[in-house]
Amino acid sequence: GYAQVGAESDWRTANTKSFKSTFTEENGYKLIFDDAQQKQENQIKAIRSFIQQDVDYIVVAPVVETGWETVLKEAKDAGIPVILSDRQMKLSDDSLYTCWVGGNFIKEGHDAGDWLAAYLKKQGRENDDINIVTLQGTIGASAQVGRTEGFGDKLKEHPKWHMLATQTGEFTQAKGQEVMESFLKSYPDIDVVVAENDNMAFGAIDAIKAAGKTCGPNGDIIIISFDAVAAAFDAMMAGDMNCSVECNPLHGPRVDAIIKKLQAGEKVNKIQYVDEKLFDTTMDLKAIKATRLY
Ligand code: GYE
């Protein structure tokens, strides 16, 4: 059983596709897939139904980090191993899950901040006051928590960077656009938008253009985002976005490898980070995009 978050972003769509194409009958699996529509209570229901159906493994991409003890205890009592993928859980007892595989969200936030510092330096703006707003992901999701924390560490290193406002755009394009519209009304002098995923950045770009402003390497506002999905490469090539910090969604084969090891009675690493890069408009994005699967 796979308790998926929802279908809120291009990243999520690629993640779902990765699971559905990996856990096929041909490969020896029967996948029960549940889309929780970004609601923890739906994921808890899905996990309970997986337990009732006596699945062999439960995989969870937890919407938020906290509040899982009771249901994971039920899985443990039923003798069903729980594998976490993508986002993490914060638990009082880590023996409630077998292992986790996903992106290093704090590092992604650090990479975004380091990219901005280098970019501003190149423009001779390293001593300027820089006004920043953040479109946050779903509050309490580890992708939100980690990226906010990572970029926050970099803010502390740069006293001239001013975080004017942070608000959640729920990782969706529509909400990202809506929040950006209100940011633009409240703050006439925004230099940088940090969008905690690409889809919110796409919404922000629409809002900026609708307000008669420009963004990207030749525009008024610098756009930094996370995920590096195919459409982000298009936005960078169109000159609307500056950089996207990669987050790899192709966890299906990784979870498959974990299950195979467990089946063979082997040990698995508790925490497994995936290597990730960063892409910006100085690179040959067309060539790089052609090699990517999402
Ligand atoms: O960045 C975002 C998605 O948890 C890493 O969830 C994932 C995030 C991803 O909605 O696009």
Side-chain angles (χ1 to χ4, degrees):
Y2 182 33
Q4 173 63 297
V5 168
E8 71 284 359
S9 64
D10 290 15
W11 189 101
R12 191 62 55 196
T13 305
N15 179 258
T16 292
K17 220 172 124 195
S18 174
F19 272 82
K20 288 191 173 169
S21 61
T22 302
F23 293 97
T24 60
E25 307 227 343
E26 262 171 7
N27 289 340
Y29 290 105
K30 183 171 184 300
L31 175 67
I32 311 171
F33 179 87
D34 185 88
D35 174 337
Q37 300 183 339
Q38 297 221 72
K39 291 200 178 77
Q40 181 174 32
E41 72 238 44
N42 290 344
Q43 285 198 308
I44 290 175
K45 263 188 227 152
I47 296 168
R48 292 209 164 111
S49 123
F50 298 155
I51 296 171
Q52 246 161 31
Q53 294 173 74
D54 197 23
V55 298
D56 296 301
Y57 292 91
I58 293 172
V59 184
V60 190
V63 179
V64 291
E65 291 187 328
T66 55
W68 298 101
E69 273 85 358
T70 306
V71 74
L72 288 202
K73 182 92 191 359
E74 289 166 26
K76 194 178 182 183
D77 290 345
I80 305 172
V82 174
I83 298 166
L84 306 184
S85 160
D86 165 24
R87 301 177 185 172
Q88 301 205 21
M89 289 183 188
K90 224 185 245 154
L91 296 162
S92 50
D93 173 6
D94 278 341
S95 79
L96 290 173
Y97 71 99
T98 305
C99 64
W100 167 86
V101 60
N104 188 335
F105 305 124
I106 295 177
K107 178 177 182 294
E108 292 170 7
H110 289 160
D111 290 350
D114 287 341
W115 178 88
L116 180 61
Y119 184 79
L120 292 171
K121 191 160 182 213
K122 236 192 297 176
Q123 294 189 323
R125 297 170 72 190
E126 71 265 41
N127 297 317
D128 294 1
D129 285 294
I130 302 292
N131 292 330
I132 309 174
V133 295
T134 299
L135 297 166
Q136 291 178 298
T138 304
I139 300 300
S142 62
Q144 176 275 313
V145 174
R147 288 168 189 167
T148 298
E149 186 186 325
F151 195 83
D153 290 339
K154 296 297 159 179
L155 270 179
K156 286 182 214 138
E157 292 175 15
H158 299 277
K160 294 220 135 187
W161 293 7
H162 311 292
M163 187 59 74
L164 302 180
T166 56
Q167 198 178 315
T168 183
E170 302 291 353
F171 283 128
T172 69
Q173 177 158 349
K175 200 78 210 289
Q177 180 171 347
E178 196 185 303
V179 174
M180 191 64 210
E181 279 163 9
S182 83
F183 281 170
L184 286 162
K185 281 184 198 136
S186 311
Y187 307 101
D189 188 19
I190 296 169
D191 298 301
V192 181
V193 175
V194 177
E196 288 182 343
N197 80 346
D198 287 333
N199 289 82
M200 292 190 293
F202 305 151
I205 291 166
D206 289 344
I208 289 166
K209 288 183 177 173
K213 297 201 171 186
T214 57
C215 51
N218 299 312
D220 309 318
I221 300 176
I222 297 167
I223 309 278
I224 302 173
S225 81
F226 297 85
D227 285 355
V229 295
F233 281 75
D234 296 336
M236 286 189 277
M237 288 190 274
D240 291 332
M241 191 191 271
N242 295 72
C243 111
S244 188
V245 182
E246 181 181 37
C247 183
N248 188 307
L250 306 178
H251 296 323
R254 299 188 177 108
V255 172
D256 173 38
I258 288 167
I259 289 175
K260 290 207 166 100
K261 275 195 170 178
L262 294 172
Q263 285 294 106
E266 289 169 36
K267 277 212 146 206
V268 294
N269 290 332
K270 188 89 183 181
I271 298 289
Q272 304 183 25
Y273 288 114
V274 176
D275 272 345
E276 293 165 334
K277 302 191 187 73
L278 179 151
F279 302 99
D280 72 12
T281 56
T282 64
M283 300 171 180
D284 185 354
L285 295 173
K286 196 166 169 230
I288 298 168
K289 188 192 168 197
T291 66
R292 292 172 66 77
L293 295 172
Y294 57 94

